[in-house]
Amino acid sequence: MKIFSAPDYTAMSRKAANLISAQVILKPDSVLGLATGSTPLGVYSQLIDWYEKGDVDFTKVRSVNLDEYCGLAPEHEQSYHYYMKENFFKHINIQMVNTHVPDGLAKDVTAEGHRYDKLIDSLGGIDLQLLGIGNTGHIGFNEPSESFIKETHRVTLKQKTIDANARFFASKEEVPRYAVTMGIGAIMGAKKVLLVANGAGKAEILYESLFGPITPEVPASILQVHPDVTVVGDEAAMAVIREKCPSAID
């Protein structure tokens, strides 16, 4: 595992975007696993900038997103279909037919999970998976649980997750209570994992995830056994790691 500390959010975003652009340059038809939320926005902004300058080409890239809220149509402003289109896809030359997000309107979520896992397999798996980390230690929407769930599945969101995401909605009551998320199997099957974290609020859970016990109660802790993980965080997010394990930071 490689752990990098950046001085601020902009530098963190640039470092992470550099790793993604390098992946695409070296393998133009890469399968990118993509994340949503506030943390990756700077990464996508930097990639858009480099695309506009002609430094990176997304024509052959395929993408699979981690998750989607149950009950939200793709056109809903808080759906992750909409997030990806508005914050990344429409600004680059990726072919929309090559972009994939779980179906939050699927009546049979189990069948949707099987479909999505087969889709990822048909693409040859994920070359690089971008992850954020939630306050509960969740990756994707894999919340603390009694076991690591391998398959794409429906999850009941924890109250801490609902509270954290309420800022994107008009009220906390409007935040969906369920989501369909890529399982731990597909995430851990990615050839490379890139985890980004920013802000003091992520410092303790980031340390716990990377250096604490491997347990489904802290889903991100499973990344400790992945063979190729890079973590990029700003100084605030790295504060606890810097205090307790300073030698771990590159």
Side-chain angles (χ1 to χ4, degrees):
M1 181 180 295
K2 299 177 182 177
I3 302 176
F4 296 99
S5 180
D8 54 31
Y9 177 77
T10 299
M12 179 209 76
S13 300
R14 185 178 180 87
K15 174 68 175 179
N18 186 59
L19 294 171
I20 295 172
S21 64
Q23 171 67 41
V24 174
I25 290 168
L26 290 172
K27 186 182 180 186
D29 62 345
S30 288
V31 178
L32 299 180
L34 300 179
T36 53
S38 57
T39 303
L41 286 173
V43 179
Y44 295 142
S45 179
Q46 182 64 74
L47 289 170
I48 291 167
D49 181 60
W50 285 336
Y51 160 71
E52 292 175 344
K53 292 177 178 176
D55 295 332
V56 59
D57 178 13
F58 295 94
T59 304
K60 297 180 181 179
V61 166
R62 285 81 50 78
S63 73
V64 287
N65 261 75
L66 283 166
D67 42 35
E68 178 60 285
Y69 286 116
C70 289
L72 296 192
E75 299 78 20
H76 191 288
E77 290 186 359
Q78 298 306 327
S79 76
Y80 290 148
H81 282 81
Y82 187 88
Y83 171 106
M84 291 306 305
K85 180 181 178 181
E86 293 299 312
N87 292 302
F88 193 38
F89 294 154
K90 78 176 188 180
H91 303 286
I92 59 174
N93 63 342
I94 196 168
Q95 306 300 304
M96 288 303 295
V97 69
N98 290 333
T99 67
H100 307 280
V101 182
D103 182 4
L105 295 180
K107 294 182 179 179
D108 187 337
V109 181
T110 299
E112 170 60 11
H114 292 326
R115 181 197 71 81
Y116 206 66
D117 289 335
K118 288 180 180 178
L119 168 67
I120 294 170
D121 288 343
S122 74
L123 295 174
I126 298 166
D127 290 303
L128 185 153
Q129 176 65 59
L130 175 65
L131 296 174
I133 184 169
N135 294 325
T136 64
H138 69 72
I139 47 177
F141 269 132
N142 291 281
E143 294 276 29
S145 178
E146 294 181 354
S147 63
F148 292 109
I149 300 177
K150 182 179 179 181
E151 300 83 10
T152 298
H153 61 283
R154 190 181 85 154
V155 62
T156 301
L157 302 182
K158 298 291 186 182
Q159 189 61 48
K160 285 180 70 174
T161 300
I162 293 170
D163 292 345
N165 290 350
R167 67 189 187 278
F168 300 116
F169 293 81
S171 68
K172 189 180 297 185
E173 289 68 33
E174 292 186 18
V175 182
R177 268 46 183 174
Y178 302 96
V180 55
T181 184
M182 189 188 294
I184 295 297
I187 293 172
M188 291 298 288
K191 299 175 182 67
K192 300 177 183 179
V193 172
L194 172 59
L195 175 66
V196 292
N198 73 289
K202 299 296 177 66
E204 190 63 47
I205 193 63
L206 187 62
Y207 169 77
E208 187 177 352
S209 297
L210 303 183
F211 296 96
I214 298 173
T215 168
E217 290 296 327
V218 183
S221 66
I222 193 68
L223 298 176
Q224 294 180 42
V225 299
H226 192 283
D228 191 347
V229 174
T230 300
V231 180
V232 184
D234 64 7
E235 285 190 358
M238 289 292 178
V240 178
I241 294 176
R242 188 176 297 281
E243 175 188 351
K244 297 183 177 182
C245 303
S247 63
I249 300 176
D250 290 315

